[in-house]
Amino acid sequence: MPTDSTKQDITTDNKKVQDLQQNTEDSTGQFLTTNQGLRINDDQNSLKAGERGPSLLEDFILREKITHFDHERIPERVVHARGAGAHGVFKLNEDLSEFTKAGFLTDTLRETPVFVRFSTVAGSRGSSDLARDVRGFAVKFYTDEGNFDLVGNNIPVFFIQDSIKFPDLIHAVKPEPHNEIPQAASAHDTFWDYISNTPESAHMIMWLMSDRAIPRSLRMMEGFGVHSFRFVNEEGKSCFVKFHWKPKLGVHSVAWTEAQTISGKDPDFHRRDLWEAIENGNFPEWDFGVQIVPEEDEHKYEFDLLDSTKLIPEELVPVRRIGTMTLNRNTDNYFAETEQVAFHLGHVVPGIDFTNDPLLQGRLFSYTDTQLLRLGGPNFHEIPINRPIAPIHNNQRDGHMRQQINKSKTAHSPNGMSGGCPFQAGKMQGGFTSYPERIEASKIRGRSKSFFDHFSQAKLFLNSQSDPEKNHLTDALSFELGKVETLSVRERMLYFLAQIDEGLAGAVAYNVGMHVPKEVKTLLNQTKPADASDEEYASVVKEGSLDKSVALSMKNSPTDIIETRKIAILATDGVNAANIQAVKNALMAAGATCEVIAPKLGFIAGVDDTPVAVAKSLLTTASVFYDAVYVPGGTNSVATLEADPDAIHFLNEAFKHCKAIAFDADAMQVIKATYFGRKLPEDNSDETVLMEGIIMSDDASALATKFISAIAQHRFWEREKARKVPA
Ligand code: HDD
């Protein structure tokens, strides 16, 4: 897609971009220097006592270079270590002043710079992008009133209800302590031991085992703030709010076997995809949505708004799409920006405030604490990527790596010597005032009964899935529990699953060669307080009022766009180059990108000798990197591909992963050599769509039209039923 001029302007006018530019360095045409600015005439030979003599301690150039190198790494994030970041802009479309006084949510003329970091949770920095995992979706809004960080995930609920459990959850999912195995995977004993003892994780587990945990692209994920936050308007009136990001390209996933192959062939698949999309001007976009619940409706629902294991079904409170975020600039330096960015739930602006969600409350402590260690001290807010565009004036001083040179003779408040500066801002000058929520309570270590129902929304999620999505969920659980070696953990998990759905538990039990137990000795660590009776506990476990919620199934994502989808064109010498061009033109006009793949790199010659550039060879790429495949005709090309096992594997694998496949009628010979070619109807002379998602024609234009609508369907999951594709 061409880059349009408005998007370019947004980039150059962006105040944060201007701020960052002051810290950028460009070595083009410059001399090499030390960190003290001394020009260096040789940094490839150390200073020695004679040509064959020892290196000298005196060599300050050697010492500086190596010392800096030795200190290049900082501790990786304890969770969300692997990430990809990008800059962008947020544009408000609807004034929300009825609910909040936050300037960036009330002034529709304002454009707010943002920096986003997507991440996986469990894996280390060098792990694969395609691990089955939650994805972090953290957005820093550089607003005129200070930074607002929305530190969310691509899943709207969480595993636990109280942050005090977070270290246990993370210890369980990370590699096991005795042998540091496995990397970036939840399919192991400690994780499922923890889950089977933590019933409140039931809802989250349904999401994690769904295809949401293996996205097709970071650009095709939803984002959620998870907790209920508060909005506060100019009059001081408050309401509850949940935040949403809705991707313009829809929500799509890959297949699990595909994810595993991608992890080996290109562990940077998601990072690369985001980077390339932005470089090519295909700026990813999300609508920003809010679900607003008036204060007086706090207790209206069967779930507690303060319980982060619950979502508010969109049927009950619709999502109002109030703005758009566009990511339009890649980082200049991964470390300086993506690695050093520091998010914190407690970075709020006037008009946004917290609720008493016990998961949220603990997070308010954790994020600053973690940055102090990771970024080396209390001045991490001065790192360029973290600096607000709003000015900073206070009496905090000194500490490791202080950049600011404070000129004042005073660093105390109240003061008279500096005329009272910096002043405290009153409410009228935009000072932050915490929402004066009335609280009268006894101190307890416990939880409200309204947090006890763990299974209703897990059932709601499962019931809302299409059949293929349910099958994938069953497969994912069977895979994960199949990797669990401690049989009592498997057994307890089967019992756990039966509380959500007996059919699901039965299917998983069959796959792992066990029976669903009627009861298990203990489901430890219930959230039920020790002094609550079973009857009392049962009385709060209500069924959800909804059977299904449309927004929970990816099947209901838009199926009329193919923008940025990647299409493979399999060809070699003797191909019908005119057809390649015609189909390619139609696909590209619809926003897709096309790559010609041949047995070897370089150029291939079309049937009329037209040279066609090859983007990738069968050796360097694989079908898992594409959303669909087209095989053009041409006698020699078809004959060569028919006899090439890599080409046939490519097609079989694309079929197995349920992708759209189109071919010219005279390429049928290649298709006949595949597994699925043998399944196609014999008499197919008049047909264009031979099987769902399999298109054949001798008319390039008719083929392109059907092909485009097939690619927009994303995948033809029904094909998986046979489970026999040898690829
Ligand atoms: Fe967290 C990082 C999201 C619960 C403690 N978290 C982190 C990041 C995201 C989230 C997206 C990566 C930010 C980045 O890209 O740098 N975390 C969540 C969500 C949660 C959640 C959506 C539940 C709703 N987190 C949570 C709890 C705690 C933490 C309950 C601790 C009490 N999270 C952290 C952390 C991290 C972090 C240890 C690691 C690196 C960092 O903060 O900067 O503080």
Side-chain angles (χ1 to χ4, degrees):
M1 258 187 314
T3 310
D4 75 43
S5 57
T6 29
K7 284 173 178 168
Q8 283 297 344
D9 293 341
I10 287 169
T11 306
T12 40
D13 294 348
N14 187 316
K15 284 191 214 155
K16 187 63 197 170
V17 174
Q18 290 165 14
D19 172 41
L20 288 171
Q21 266 162 6
Q22 296 166 17
N23 285 79
T24 55
E25 180 265 353
D26 182 358
S27 298
T28 318
Q30 303 297 324
F31 288 110
L32 180 74
T33 72
T34 65
N35 282 338
Q36 303 306 314
L38 174 78
R39 285 186 189 169
I40 299 176
N41 63 9
D42 181 357
D43 87 332
Q44 298 299 303
N45 290 294
S46 58
L47 190 68
K48 300 181 192 73
E51 272 179 3
R52 301 183 61 250
S55 297
L56 300 177
L57 187 60
E58 178 196 321
D59 189 353
F60 62 95
I61 295 177
L62 167 98
R63 287 203 321 267
E64 185 194 86
K65 188 174 174 184
I66 292 193
T67 307
H68 199 279
F69 168 75
D70 291 344
H71 295 255
E72 263 175 20
R73 293 287 171 270
I74 60 171
E76 67 172 33
R77 288 166 174 82
V78 58
V79 280
H80 295 266
R82 182 170 178 81
H87 295 269
V89 68
F90 171 71
K91 174 94 185 62
L92 185 72
N93 303 325
E94 192 189 327
D95 169 5
L96 283 188
S97 48
E98 185 189 346
F99 307 107
T100 176
K101 58 184 170 190
F104 80 107
L105 294 177
T106 54
D107 180 356
T108 50
L109 298 176
R110 217 182 282 190
E111 279 169 2
T112 306
V114 295
F115 185 77
V116 179
R117 184 174 178 273
F118 302 105
S119 47
T120 51
V121 179
S124 293
R125 268 196 62 183
S127 57
S128 162
D129 284 348
L130 259 289
R132 172 178 294 286
D133 200 353
V134 185
R135 297 299 183 290
F137 194 131
V139 183
K140 190 179 284 293
F141 294 82
Y142 302 94
T143 89
D144 292 347
E145 285 117 0
N147 287 350
F148 168 57
D149 291 357
L150 186 53
V151 198
N153 282 339
N154 75 329
I155 291 181
V157 291
F158 204 63
F159 296 91
I160 47 172
Q161 295 173 323
D162 190 317
S163 63
I164 199 166
K165 292 170 160 230
F166 192 68
D168 298 303
L169 165 73
I170 300 306
H171 288 172
V173 72
K174 283 270 182 181
E176 299 197 359
H178 59 301
N179 59 7
E180 182 82 5
I181 297 175
Q183 174 59 237
S186 52
H188 59 108
D189 289 35
T190 53
F191 178 68
W192 289 103
D193 182 39
Y194 181 79
I195 295 301
S196 66
N197 284 308
T198 309
E200 70 205 63
S201 65
H203 188 194
M204 180 68 170
I205 286 304
M206 290 295 100
W207 283 82
L208 186 66
M209 293 297 112
S210 80
D211 292 343
R212 300 267 182 163
I214 40 172
R216 158 66 181 84
S217 158
L218 301 169
R219 305 175 291 123
M220 298 171 197
M221 300 188 317
E222 284 180 301
F224 304 91
V226 183
H227 310 286
S228 300
F229 289 83
R230 274 185 185 280
F231 269 160
V232 186
N233 69 11
E234 280 294 355
E235 287 75 49
K237 190 169 161 32
S238 168
C239 60
F240 295 95
V241 59
K242 291 238 189 207
F243 295 112
H244 295 250
W245 294 108
K246 301 266 186 195
K248 289 271 170 77
L249 297 175
V251 189
H252 300 289
S253 69
V254 296
W256 177 229
T257 50
E258 194 181 357
Q260 292 174 80
T261 311
I262 294 172
S263 288
K265 289 186 182 268
D266 185 10
D268 300 298
F269 183 72
H270 280 155
R271 284 180 170 185
R272 193 185 306 284
D273 169 90
L274 181 68
W275 179 273
E276 286 178 354
I278 295 174
E279 287 300 289
N280 294 336
N282 293 323
F283 300 143
E285 286 188 334
W286 284 262
D287 281 338
F288 189 46
V290 288
Q291 279 178 301
I292 289 174
V293 177
E295 179 91 47
E296 40 294 7
D297 287 352
E298 179 175 0
H299 302 292
K300 180 173 160 187
Y301 303 102
E302 283 158 305
F303 47 86
D304 197 318
L305 290 176
L306 305 185
D307 173 0
S308 276
T309 66
K310 306 297 183 304
L311 51 79
I312 310 179
E314 292 187 24
E315 284 77 3
L316 301 186
V317 181
V319 175
R320 284 167 78 152
R321 297 181 185 227
I322 51 129
T324 307
M325 175 171 75
T326 308
L327 297 184
N328 54 18
R329 195 168 75 82
N330 277 319
T331 52
D332 288 314
N333 183 282
Y334 181 88
F335 180 83
E337 297 167 86
T338 309
E339 192 58 13
Q340 292 205 115
V341 68
F343 293 95
H344 177 26
L345 214 71
H347 293 163
V348 287
V349 290
I352 301 180
D353 211 328
F354 315 113
T355 60
N356 299 330
D357 172 347
L359 188 72
L360 180 157
Q361 294 279 320
R363 292 181 74 193
L364 289 175
F365 165 73
S366 183
Y367 287 77
T368 313
D369 187 43
T370 206
Q371 314 304 352
L372 287 173
L373 175 70
R374 193 172 70 81
L375 298 169
N379 289 317
F380 60 85
H381 63 283
E382 293 191 340
I383 297 172
I385 192 68
N386 294 325
R387 253 180 348 225
I389 53 172
I392 306 175
H393 300 286
N394 59 44
N395 293 315
Q396 294 165 31
R397 291 288 185 276
D398 311 342
H400 279 294
M401 304 299 166
R402 183 69 170 180
Q403 314 284 306
Q404 184 95 44
I405 302 171
N406 299 97
K407 290 207 295 195
S408 172
K409 279 186 183 169
T410 61
H412 63 269
S413 172
N415 71 58
M417 285 168 65
S418 301
C421 297
F423 299 108
Q424 291 186 7
K427 220 167 125 190
M428 298 311 290
Q429 291 105 19
F432 183 85
T433 321
S434 290
Y435 178 67
E437 184 180 356
R438 190 175 163 72
I439 298 177
E440 222 170 301
S442 315
K443 279 186 198 168
I444 57 149
R445 246 183 222 284
R447 233 168 282 180
S448 161
K449 276 191 225 165
S450 53
F451 280 49
F452 284 2
D453 171 14
H454 306 316
F455 296 107
S456 300
Q457 285 208 348
K459 287 179 196 174
L460 172 69
F461 180 80
L462 187 66
N463 290 341
S464 306
Q465 303 303 295
S466 62
D467 283 345
E469 285 170 310
K470 280 184 188 157
N471 293 340
H472 294 173
L473 220 149
T474 311
D475 288 350
L477 280 162
S478 306
F479 176 93
E480 299 260 324
L481 297 186
K483 294 263 189 175
V484 167
E485 287 167 12
T486 311
L487 289 186
S488 60
V489 171
R490 273 199 210 161
E491 196 172 49
R492 207 165 36 216
M493 258 327 290
L494 292 171
Y495 178 77
F496 180 119
L497 292 176
Q499 315 302 306
I500 303 169
D501 188 87
E502 285 181 6
L504 174 70
V508 176
Y510 177 82
N511 288 338
V512 298
M514 292 175 78
H515 295 288
V516 181
K518 289 275 173 283
E519 57 181 44
V520 287
K521 277 212 188 90
T522 43
L523 260 183
L524 306 170
N525 196 15
Q526 291 272 15
T527 48
K528 182 175 73 137
D531 57 353
S533 68
D534 284 349
E535 293 70 44
E536 200 183 2
Y537 178 70
S539 72
V540 295
V541 179
K542 301 174 209 156
E543 289 296 317
S545 56
L546 286 174
D547 289 337
K548 287 185 179 183
S549 174
V550 171
L552 302 185
S553 168
M554 291 197 286
K555 186 161 187 286
N556 301 318
S557 212
T559 49
D560 55 357
I561 33 176
I562 68 161
E563 271 176 38
T564 78
R565 292 315 185 96
K566 276 182 85 174
I567 320 302
I569 301 176
L570 282 192
T572 190
D573 291 327
V575 70
N576 184 335
N579 277 12
I580 294 191
Q581 203 51 54
V583 173
K584 205 170 150 182
N585 286 348
L587 291 173
M588 286 174 66
T593 56
C594 300
E595 286 187 349
V596 173
I597 297 163
K600 63 176 182 58
L601 289 172
F603 283 87
I604 54 176
V607 70
D608 52 358
D609 282 338
T610 319
V612 179
V614 177
K616 304 261 164 50
S617 77
L618 284 166
L619 191 67
T620 58
T621 194
S623 76
V624 290
F625 300 135
Y626 300 89
D627 293 291
V629 192
Y630 165 53
V631 188
T635 314
N636 287 348
S637 174
V638 167
T640 312
L641 293 179
E642 180 199 4
D644 187 325
D646 290 339
I648 302 305
H649 176 77
F650 195 103
L651 285 161
N652 277 336
E653 200 177 44
F655 180 82
K656 178 179 175 148
H657 294 141
C658 308
K659 296 172 184 176
I661 296 172
F663 55 98
D664 290 352
D666 62 332
M668 182 52 128
Q669 208 178 318
V670 185
I671 303 302
K672 280 281 177 206
T674 66
Y675 162 81
F676 62 94
R678 287 176 244 136
K679 311 267 169 204
L680 296 178
E682 277 304 322
D683 178 21
N684 50 36
S685 43
D686 306 326
E687 301 283 342
T688 350
V689 180
L690 303 184
M691 186 196 277
E692 272 217 298
I694 307 289
I695 295 129
M696 182 196 77
S697 181
D698 51 13
D699 171 352
S701 148
L703 180 133
T705 310
K706 295 270 186 203
F707 194 29
I708 288 170
S709 65
I711 299 166
Q713 300 298 308
H714 181 59
R715 299 296 166 87
F716 297 87
W717 297 118
E718 291 301 316
R719 265 186 226 161
E720 285 179 320
K721 276 190 188 152
R723 296 199 167 236
K724 285 181 191 152
V725 189

